[in-house]
Amino acid sequence: MSGMSTEALLDRLRADLGKDAVRTDPDITGSYARDMMPLAPSGQPLAVVLPEDVTGVRATVRACAEAKVPIVPRGAGSGLSGAANAIDGCVVLVLTKLNEIVEVDPGNRLAVVQPGVVNLDLRDAVEKHGLFYPPDPSSYDWCTIGGNLSTNAGGLCCVKYGVTTDSVLGLEVVLADGSLLRTGRRTVKGVAGYDLARLFVGSEGTLGVITQATLALKPLPQAPGTLVAGFPSTAAAGSAVARVVREGLVPSLMEIMDATSIKAAEAYLKTDIGAGSGCEALLLCQSDSGGEVARRELAALEQICQDCGADMTYATDDLAEGNMLLQARRVVLTALELYGTWLTDDVCVPRTRIADLISGCRRISDEVGLRIAVVGHAGDGNMHPTIVYDPASEDEFARARRAFDEILEVGLALGGTVTGEHGVGKIKREWLEREIGPVGMRVHRQIKAALDPDNIFNPGSMFSM
Amino acid sequence: MSGMSTEALLDRLRADLGKDAVRTDPDITGSYARDMMPLAPSGQPLAVVLPEDVTGVRATVRACAEAKVPIVPRGAGSGLSGAANAIDGCVVLVLTKLNEIVEVDPGNRLAVVQPGVVNLDLRDAVEKHGLFYPPDPSSYDWCTIGGNLSTNAGGLCCVKYGVTTDSVLGLEVVLADGSLLRTGRRTVKGVAGYDLARLFVGSEGTLGVITQATLALKPLPQAPGTLVAGFPSTAAAGSAVARVVREGLVPSLMEIMDATSIKAAEAYLKTDIGAGSGCEALLLCQSDSGGEVARRELAALEQICQDCGADMTYATDDLAEGNMLLQARRVVLTALELYGTWLTDDVCVPRTRIADLISGCRRISDEVGLRIAVVGHAGDGNMHPTIVYDPASEDEFARARRAFDEILEVGLALGGTVTGEHGVGKIKREWLEREIGPVGMRVHRQIKAALDPDNIFNPGSMFSM
């Protein structure tokens, strides 16, 4: 803390943004202290600031920079890495009130949005124009675009449509001195200077505060057809995924569930999802190519599944029935609450190594004596092994934490990454260092120091200076 | 220049890399002093260094860093911005001997390559596995992947398959102190840390030397069907492009030629390309979706062209005939040599503004009294107005330069960017500043200073420190 006292900072923020935008009641600040990752540490904010426009964001950043008070930017708080968790004495900068869809331009297939726009609201707004914003993290009905950008969020769509960064054309970012950077473009292509927009995407609020984004949109796909296939072993399901990749098929969705996930979903839905008793893995695939093409794609996928030993396959082009089949995948995390609290991990492995990752998780589950359900985006190798534990038991919590780390170890050993889409945040800092090594860390620190010399943006998230 | 004399530097390079890898004969150094952009300044290198492996690259960087001698990295020299042009007293670091395709992994649809691999060689190598490396700059039969990465090269494929950065998973980069950064991943997704790979892509050799790349591949598309449509006005052609975008069609190629380009191609090919005498603009479209789908896509494109006033359309699913139709587009630059030397510009505008850009070019052509042919990647708004001048006339050269700049002015005014795919290099530095403004420039300089504090990598390319 420097020249400005805490009280002086709060007074200045109240003067600049209005009293209602600056909250210090512990009930309020406490409610903005955490995201959805139970393992990550969090602190007690000095204040929560809710600006209504970019001027308010700039004023907040300027005041905090002067007072050398750290800023933790956040959206809805749906994150799963603790990146949005408060640290002691920080200002939590909440972007949810900057929630305007500034523009939808169907002629150029783009949208300009503020960071507080909820993912689903953007999807709905562009759908009216026959357009599609692909990134669909599972919290899409409440997470915000700003959080999606800051974590480079993925989802079920990625196998065909990529992750958030693939939809970013340009950004407006408030920098550490309060100045406003406009980077990127409205055009499809552009190479004028460094790709700063993609440097800010996924930087977890450590380099600046995103206040506007220009996003590329896709034509709205056709209603998807759906295929479900049950396998007698994870190895068989894994080999089906590898063959789908090798044969050049690109489904619009390809999810995998292991036996533990299947059992949890069946218990929760109180139904046999048709997998049969010997079913060790389920693949759920969709094609949104429409009509005859979708039917052909699903038939090819079905054939591969059968060739790889699936003992049950079922395909439908009925949308409602397809959604019902996908229910099993969607309810897994909720279903696991039947058994305890869950802790979901996030590793991405080469698509040829999915079965190895699942068998690694099974071994870890046996070792730590906790249930681990593996669900994941099989089409891009991004797996979410989910550990179930009793939060009242310190011992179980410690074992859950051990399992969480061992899964990352297995992921790295398979040539994967310690985070496919949830981010590093405050929970995987040591693992980032393990994955990228000392040279990579040095470059990260050089860039952070160059753009945020006083380390006011989300210090200690992703890495420490 | 510092501690080490020029002779001492050359001796050390010869000792480290072998005598044959260090060339100082003026004939040789002169032949590596320029890329393909005639307007850009170039200097006289101290030496040309041709390492054979990453160890040689690191030794060169370490020696030059110690001697504070600037390094200009380059590949084949096909660039169109002067980014690879030498500066006086520099070491030109030629990466063409690092030309190994290290790995093709069909199971994970990726390739690992050295920077000196020629784009076409990679395309051929992966095609054997039923795979496709999309980026296809027009110099694809001689440009190298390293140059493609450094300029974030595009091509005809971009409308459907994106630019070079969209195919990059990971990079190995030699940094300014000679250390080796491995960044990115082999997996489809990954958010462990900042997106450094995409920071280096398009940085024109100013931040480091790329020595290896892990590239994502696509399934090999079907042989394309082709549609050609002639329009009585550029406005009509422009409105067809806008409608294609708005209606959600994604051709695998959509090129535009203006009347000047058409006439040049006809003169060169000594044939009437069927456009008719009143034809002011030609659209060339392809669909690589295969079979019935491709025929449907081409029919939809044809209908849009007709609705927008095309007075000639012709579609074929014969590959050879399609290639023949595309000939007209491919020969334009060569054809323009019938009239003089050409200077090709590169702007990208919103896809709704293509006709405005072309009419702007026509106005500029009248003003400067030089022929300007506009060809371009209509599907992404990336236009290459090409100015024809007599290099023996200083006055014409000056007018060509004026036209070059005025085209950029028009592009910016239409909401576009001053470079869609060729880069800033040594020819558009002032324009970069115009486009991105002082805050953007400051961030560029901060990042450059953080990663290359002594400014040894390609100083004065893209911007000056």
Side-chain angles (χ1 to χ4, degrees):
Chain A
M1 188 85 42
S2 78
M4 207 190 301
S5 75
T6 298
E7 269 318 306
L9 170 63
L10 293 174
D11 286 346
R12 175 161 158 192
L13 290 171
R14 287 188 192 106
D16 285 349
L17 286 97
K19 257 177 64 178
D20 289 351
V22 184
R23 314 298 293 267
T24 54
D25 352 27
D27 277 7
I28 302 283
T29 58
S31 73
Y32 283 103
R34 298 195 61 85
D35 67 15
M36 298 295 284
M37 163 49 71
L39 287 194
S42 75
Q44 182 55 42
L46 166 68
V48 169
V49 175
L50 296 113
E52 298 198 344
D53 54 25
V54 64
T55 309
V57 176
R58 297 180 71 180
T60 306
V61 171
R62 282 206 191 97
C64 290
E66 206 173 305
K68 298 208 191 307
V69 165
I71 295 170
V72 177
R74 64 172 272 157
S78 61
L80 288 162
S81 72
N85 281 13
I87 55 176
D88 283 334
C90 78
V91 163
V92 175
L93 179 53
V94 184
L95 280 307
T96 48
K97 292 196 168 181
L98 280 81
N99 62 353
E100 195 190 339
I101 297 174
V102 179
E103 182 188 354
V104 178
D105 176 353
N108 291 297
R109 274 194 215 138
L110 62 84
V112 181
V113 303
Q114 290 188 322
V117 170
V118 169
N119 181 297
L120 178 61
D121 292 341
L122 175 59
R123 305 173 78 79
D124 287 346
V126 304
E127 188 172 330
K128 286 175 206 149
H129 300 276
L131 292 168
F132 174 47
Y133 177 67
D136 60 347
S138 51
S139 54
Y140 69 94
D141 53 350
W142 67 288
C143 65
T144 61
I145 297 295
N148 296 172
L149 291 163
S150 296
T151 57
N152 192 12
L156 306 185
C157 75
C158 307
V159 58
K160 184 162 179 179
Y161 296 105
V163 295
T164 298
T165 200
D166 298 311
S167 293
V168 175
L169 295 173
L171 293 180
E172 182 190 88
V173 182
V174 176
L175 300 173
D177 65 349
S179 59
L180 195 64
L181 171 70
R182 288 194 182 84
T183 186
R185 51 191 200 278
R186 283 177 70 93
T187 53
V188 181
K189 291 159 78 176
V191 291
Y194 299 154
D195 192 347
L196 298 181
R198 279 172 164 158
L199 179 62
F200 285 99
V201 172
S203 66
E204 302 184 358
T206 62
L207 297 177
V209 182
I210 297 169
T211 50
Q212 192 167 283
T214 304
L215 302 170
L217 305 172
K218 300 263 184 207
L220 193 64
Q222 304 292 309
T226 306
L227 166 76
V228 56
F231 294 84
S233 70
T234 51
S239 70
V241 173
R243 251 193 68 191
V244 168
V245 175
R246 210 169 52 239
E247 297 201 3
L249 290 161
V250 184
S252 57
L253 175 150
M254 182 158 61
E255 297 289 308
I256 192 166
M257 295 169 65
D258 75 345
T260 310
S261 312
I262 297 166
K263 283 189 198 98
E266 289 187 327
Y268 180 79
L269 295 170
K270 296 193 174 61
T271 172
D272 172 358
I273 57 180
S277 59
C279 178
E280 288 289 312
L282 212 59
L283 277 185
L284 294 140
C285 306
Q286 290 193 318
S287 165
D288 63 4
S289 301
E292 194 44 52
V293 182
R295 271 190 292 274
R296 262 210 315 274
E297 285 181 358
L298 289 176
L301 290 164
E302 188 166 24
Q303 186 62 54
I304 288 174
C305 290
Q306 287 166 353
D307 291 350
C308 291
D311 36 29
M312 180 280 290
T313 64
Y314 179 74
T316 175
D317 52 12
D318 184 86
L319 180 62
E321 195 182 15
N323 280 337
M324 218 177 61
L325 293 169
L326 278 194
Q327 263 308 85
R329 165 70 181 89
R330 292 196 199 280
V331 301
V332 170
L333 291 190
T334 312
L336 288 171
E337 289 172 4
L338 296 172
Y339 310 114
T341 291
W342 52 257
L343 172 65
T344 195
D345 213 333
D346 168 46
V347 286
C348 193
V349 296
R351 287 169 288 189
T352 47
R353 307 309 295 272
I354 291 170
D356 298 318
L357 193 270
I358 295 177
S359 56
C361 290
R362 201 160 287 183
R363 181 183 53 72
I364 294 165
S365 167
D366 290 345
E367 273 173 28
V368 300
L370 292 175
R371 195 185 302 257
I372 300 179
V374 185
V375 291
H377 315 307
D380 30 56
N382 189 188
M383 298 290 114
H384 296 307
T386 302
I387 308 148
V388 183
Y389 67 101
D390 172 3
S393 156
E394 251 181 63
D395 172 60
E396 286 213 3
F397 184 78
R399 283 186 278 146
R401 169 82 225 201
R402 200 178 112 208
F404 186 87
D405 284 338
E406 285 187 12
I407 290 165
L408 300 180
E409 187 95 54
V410 170
L412 275 187
L414 293 172
T417 171
V418 297
T419 172
E421 58 183 7
H422 293 171
V424 175
K426 296 183 176 80
I427 189 67
K428 289 184 180 172
R429 287 180 293 204
E430 296 74 19
W431 286 98
L432 175 67
E433 192 143 3
R434 280 274 302 272
E435 179 169 333
I436 73 175
V439 178
M441 289 310 303
R442 198 185 73 210
V443 174
H444 274 73
R445 292 193 172 102
Q446 285 168 335
I447 288 173
K448 168 78 168 161
L451 296 190
D452 180 19
D454 290 326
N455 197 19
I456 65 159
F457 285 132
N458 214 355
S461 222
M462 199 182 276
F463 56 91
S464 304
M465 289 300 284
Chain B
M1 188 85 41
S2 77
M4 208 191 301
S5 74
T6 298
E7 269 318 306
L9 169 62
L10 293 175
D11 286 346
R12 176 161 157 191
L13 289 171
R14 287 188 192 106
D16 285 349
L17 286 97
K19 257 177 66 179
D20 289 351
V22 183
R23 314 298 294 267
T24 54
D25 352 28
D27 277 7
I28 302 284
T29 58
S31 73
Y32 283 103
R34 298 196 61 86
D35 67 14
M36 299 295 285
M37 163 49 73
L39 288 194
S42 76
Q44 182 57 41
L46 165 67
V48 169
V49 176
L50 297 113
E52 298 199 343
D53 53 25
V54 65
T55 308
V57 175
R58 296 181 72 180
T60 307
V61 171
R62 281 207 191 97
C64 291
E66 206 174 306
K68 298 208 190 303
V69 165
I71 294 170
V72 177
R74 64 171 273 156
S78 61
L80 289 162
S81 72
N85 281 12
I87 56 177
D88 283 335
C90 77
V91 163
V92 175
L93 179 53
V94 184
L95 280 307
T96 48
K97 291 196 169 183
L98 280 80
N99 63 353
E100 196 190 337
I101 296 175
V102 180
E103 183 189 353
V104 178
D105 177 353
N108 291 295
R109 275 193 215 138
L110 62 83
V112 180
V113 303
Q114 291 188 321
V117 170
V118 169
N119 182 297
L120 178 60
D121 292 341
L122 175 59
R123 306 173 78 78
D124 287 345
V126 305
E127 188 172 330
K128 286 174 208 149
H129 300 277
L131 292 167
F132 173 49
Y133 176 68
D136 60 346
S138 52
S139 54
Y140 69 94
D141 54 349
W142 67 288
C143 65
T144 61
I145 297 295
N148 296 173
L149 291 164
S150 296
T151 57
N152 191 13
L156 307 184
C157 74
C158 307
V159 57
K160 184 162 179 178
Y161 296 105
V163 294
T164 297
T165 199
D166 299 310
S167 293
V168 176
L169 295 173
L171 293 180
E172 182 190 89
V173 183
V174 176
L175 300 173
D177 64 350
S179 60
L180 195 64
L181 171 70
R182 288 193 182 85
T183 186
R185 52 191 200 278
R186 284 176 71 93
T187 53
V188 182
K189 291 159 78 176
V191 290
Y194 300 153
D195 192 348
L196 298 181
R198 279 170 164 158
L199 179 63
F200 285 99
V201 172
S203 66
E204 302 185 357
T206 63
L207 298 177
V209 182
I210 297 169
T211 50
Q212 192 167 284
T214 304
L215 302 170
L217 305 171
K218 299 263 185 206
L220 194 63
Q222 304 292 309
T226 305
L227 167 76
V228 56
F231 294 84
S233 70
T234 52
S239 70
V241 173
R243 252 194 67 191
V244 168
V245 175
R246 209 170 52 240
E247 296 201 3
L249 290 161
V250 184
S252 57
L253 175 151
M254 181 158 62
E255 297 289 309
I256 193 166
M257 295 170 64
D258 75 345
T260 310
S261 312
I262 298 167
K263 283 189 200 98
E266 289 187 327
Y268 180 80
L269 295 170
K270 297 192 174 62
T271 173
D272 172 358
I273 57 180
S277 60
C279 178
E280 287 290 310
L282 212 58
L283 276 185
L284 295 140
C285 306
Q286 290 193 320
S287 165
D288 62 4
S289 301
E292 195 44 53
V293 183
R295 270 190 292 276
R296 262 210 316 273
E297 284 181 359
L298 290 176
L301 291 164
E302 187 166 24
Q303 187 62 54
I304 289 173
C305 290
Q306 287 166 353
D307 291 350
C308 291
D311 36 28
M312 180 281 290
T313 65
Y314 178 74
T316 175
D317 52 12
D318 183 87
L319 181 62
E321 195 183 15
N323 280 337
M324 216 178 62
L325 294 169
L326 278 195
Q327 261 310 84
R329 164 68 181 90
R330 292 196 199 279
V331 301
V332 170
L333 291 190
T334 312
L336 289 171
E337 289 173 4
L338 296 172
Y339 311 114
T341 290
W342 52 256
L343 171 65
T344 195
D345 213 332
D346 168 46
V347 286
C348 193
V349 295
R351 288 169 288 189
T352 46
R353 308 308 296 272
I354 291 170
D356 298 318
L357 194 268
I358 295 177
S359 57
C361 290
R362 201 160 287 182
R363 180 182 53 71
I364 294 165
S365 166
D366 290 344
E367 273 172 29
V368 300
L370 293 175
R371 194 185 304 256
I372 300 179
V374 185
V375 290
H377 316 305
D380 31 56
N382 189 188
M383 298 289 114
H384 296 307
T386 303
I387 308 147
V388 183
Y389 67 100
D390 173 4
S393 156
E394 251 181 64
D395 172 60
E396 285 213 2
F397 184 78
R399 282 185 279 145
R401 169 81 224 202
R402 200 178 111 207
F404 187 87
D405 284 337
E406 285 187 12
I407 289 164
L408 300 179
E409 187 95 53
V410 170
L412 275 187
L414 292 172
T417 170
V418 297
T419 173
E421 59 182 7
H422 292 171
V424 174
K426 296 181 176 81
I427 190 67
K428 289 184 180 173
R429 286 180 294 204
E430 296 74 20
W431 287 98
L432 175 66
E433 193 143 2
R434 281 275 302 271
E435 178 169 332
I436 72 175
V439 178
M441 287 311 302
R442 197 185 74 210
V443 175
H444 274 72
R445 292 192 173 102
Q446 285 167 335
I447 288 173
K448 168 78 167 162
L451 296 190
D452 180 18
D454 290 327
N455 197 18
I456 65 158
F457 285 132
N458 214 356
S461 221
M462 199 182 276
F463 55 92
S464 303
M465 290 300 284

